[in-house]
Amino acid sequence: MNKSLSPTQKITFSAMLIALAVLSTFVAKTINMPRGIDEEQIPWGHGEGLDSKYLYVCHAEFNAILNTRDGAHLNGCTLYVTLFPCNECAKAIIQVGIKEVVYLSDKYAEGTAFLASRRLFTMAGVKLRPYEGKTLEISVKP
């Protein structure tokens, strides 16, 4: 079923932010190699050891924090994400003072990195909240 919002329909601010988080995964490459590193030189697969991309990439949350002109402006903010942040992103989120994380999916909840992330957020007093509002269907056409 393909529903579109009419010009008179309104969505919440939270719904808009979650939609933007989802849309950004289509529009921009949100998992990147660090600046200046040719991704063709690094394995992009789910390999083991040094052949795993996870040792090299920067996640969307980390990129967003690093690319903010003045990280001090993030102090006290709420971060909206599509996936619950890993432990590496959690450390950056905590360091810049983000006080709440709203996530759309927690599909890796039992993974060690995500259990550690939850522990870090709890110790730092960061509020965690699954997004429970309306979700918008987003389709990207070539």
Side-chain angles (χ1 to χ4, degrees), residues 90-104:
K91 290 184 271 187
I93 290 165
I94 292 164
Q95 283 298 95
V96 296
I98 291 172
K99 295 299 180 198
E100 182 177 17
V101 175
V102 180
Y103 55 93
L104 187 59

Side-chain angles (χ1 to χ4, degrees), residues 31-83:
I31 298 176
N32 297 72
M33 294 293 173
R35 188 174 289 149
I37 295 179
D38 179 5
E39 66 181 48
E40 298 299 320
Q41 296 176 343
I42 303 288
W44 196 247
H46 296 277
E48 297 292 323
L50 291 176
D51 290 330
S52 172
K53 70 177 179 180
Y54 300 107
L55 297 175
Y56 306 101
V57 297
C58 296
H59 290 156
E61 303 91 331
F62 199 69
N63 271 326
I65 290 166
L66 291 175
N67 290 310
T68 301
R69 287 187 183 202
D70 182 1
H73 286 103
L74 300 175
N75 188 35
C77 288
T78 299
L79 177 67
Y80 287 79
V81 294
T82 53
L83 289 174

Side-chain angles (χ1 to χ4, degrees), residues 9 11 18 44 56 70 86 88 97 120 130 135:
Q9 289 178 302
I11 61 170
I18 282 292
W44 196 247
Y56 306 101
D70 182 1
C86 71
E88 294 298 322
L120 285 166
T135 55

